[in-house]
Amino acid sequence: MAANSRTLEIKVISAENLKLDRKSIKKNASVTVRTDTNSQFCTTDIDTEGGAYPRWNEKLVLDLPTHSKSVIVEVHCKTSSGVRTIGTATVPASDFVGEYVPEGYLHFLSYTLRNHKGERNGIINISVRMKVPEMYACASSTTWSHSTMGFPAAGNKSFGGGVVTGVPVWYGAYQKNY
């Protein structure tokens, strides 16, 4: 993984109500996932049995450049006349990066697919997780050691002692840090 990107794990779970020319597809659906900033992409295997409700449960791994704003998910169908795009969904990076969620958090997301005319054409169900670099991962509970995550407590010049961690908590209309 390059220093200016992060590893993104996307599990393509399933799709719902897929249509081609207003008719439910019978078989041969696959999914391609790519970032908006480069030509790197990953593709699932073809689901030959699910018809308009295919299931893949397949994990794809991509490098997400730090300047990427989104991930593109495309559902395709192999037909006798070639491979056709059923629908596309743009997943904003803000849906799974930043805010108050830790980097290794598993997000379950569903998006409406749009065909080439911009019309709704099914739903894609995915899970997304930013892979945490080893040097930032917390120790497991069975092999506990002091973690270097957080900020040193007042008066403590090293990370060997207490570490202060703020967790934002929403309470009514006010935000408090505990």
Side-chain angles (χ1 to χ4, degrees):
M1 176 177 77
N4 59 354
S5 68
R6 296 162 288 182
T7 301
L8 183 66
E9 294 177 346
I10 300 176
K11 186 172 188 178
V12 180
I13 300 169
S14 63
E16 303 170 26
N17 201 26
L18 300 181
K19 296 182 181 200
L20 195 56
D21 299 328
R22 296 195 173 127
K23 297 177 186 171
S24 294
I25 66 166
K26 303 287 185 217
K27 59 182 178 178
N28 298 335
S30 65
V31 177
T32 299
V33 178
R34 62 183 169 84
T35 64
D36 64 342
T37 56
N38 62 22
S39 59
Q40 180 194 11
F41 65 92
C42 293
T43 302
T44 65
D45 292 332
I46 293 175
D47 178 277
T48 57
E49 299 174 2
Y53 294 85
R55 293 189 170 278
W56 296 277
N57 286 322
E58 192 171 331
K59 187 189 299 186
L60 306 175
V61 179
L62 285 172
D63 281 339
L64 180 70
T66 54
H67 58 278
S68 283
K69 302 254 188 270
S70 62
V71 173
I72 312 300
V73 179
E74 297 173 337
V75 179
H76 304 280
C77 183
K78 184 178 177 184
T79 66
S80 59
S81 60
V83 177
R84 298 196 37 204
T85 301
I86 294 174
T88 303
T90 301
V91 180
S94 60
D95 283 4
F96 54 85
V97 175
E99 295 293 322
Y100 302 112
V101 180
E103 264 198 339
Y105 186 80
L106 181 62
H107 301 267
F108 286 91
L109 307 167
S110 296
Y111 293 92
T112 300
L113 295 166
R114 302 277 177 176
N115 65 16
H116 67 281
K117 295 177 183 176
E119 299 168 341
R120 292 179 182 181
N121 196 20
I123 295 171
I124 187 76
N125 302 302
I126 61 174
S127 68
V128 180
R129 177 192 323 251
M130 294 297 298
K131 191 169 181 184
V132 178
E134 290 299 319
M135 60 189 217
Y136 296 115
C138 290
S140 70
S141 60
T142 58
T143 59
W144 175 255
S145 64
H146 288 287
S147 173
T148 57
M149 293 178 64
F151 298 98
N156 186 358
K157 300 293 184 200
S158 71
F159 282 97
V163 175
V164 176
T165 303
V167 179
V169 177
W170 290 96
Y171 181 75
Y174 303 100
Q175 178 185 6
K176 298 179 180 182
N177 285 325
Y178 291 99

